[in-house]
Amino acid sequence: YVLENGSLMRQYTTVLDATLANTPVRRELLKDVVAVQLRFMDNSRTWLDQWPALNVTSASNAIPLQTRPIAVEISLELRDFGRIVRVVEVPG
């Protein structure tokens, strides 16, 4: 997902294991977007600005402590509707 010239764009490939020879498909999802922000909730119910969190490891320091967030907050600021916030629970 990319915010480009006020449009929220999705870029994806049509094959599972893409190479540089596979040109990404671009699709405009939403116009008049001012800002997009994602936040991620970890197991301690702390909101983080990026995932995976930096410097979070298990006791052995060999593997990540957690593989997925428990929730994702999506915040869109639109020119005509203002700020819209949605929180999505991540199953697992």
Side-chain angles (χ1 to χ4, degrees), residues 27-45:
R27 180 173 183 200
E28 183 178 59
L29 300 177
L30 193 58
K31 293 181 180 182
D32 297 327
V33 179
V34 176
V36 177
Q37 180 184 8
L38 297 175
R39 293 192 317 159
F40 308 89
M41 183 182 284
D42 66 9
N43 282 336
S44 66
R45 308 239 188 281

Side-chain angles (χ1 to χ4, degrees), residues 13 15 17-24:
T13 58
V15 295
D17 293 322
T19 66
L20 293 176
N22 301 107
T23 304

Side-chain angles (χ1 to χ4, degrees), residues 8 36 45-46 48 54 57 68 74 84:
L8 182 61
V36 177
R45 308 239 188 281
T46 302
L48 305 169
L54 296 176
T57 56
R68 65 179 66 133
I74 305 158
I84 300 170

Side-chain angles (χ1 to χ4, degrees), residues 1 36-43 45-52 66-76 83-91:
Y1 296 90
V36 177
Q37 180 184 8
L38 297 175
R39 293 192 317 159
F40 308 89
M41 183 182 284
D42 66 9
N43 282 336
R45 308 239 188 281
T46 302
W47 285 108
L48 305 169
D49 290 330
Q50 79 174 42
W51 196 268
Q66 135 182 19
T67 58
R68 65 179 66 133
I70 61 172
V72 177
E73 179 188 79
I74 305 158
S75 175
L76 294 170
R83 187 167 182 234
I84 300 170
V85 178
R86 296 290 181 261
V87 177
V88 179
E89 182 179 4
V90 177

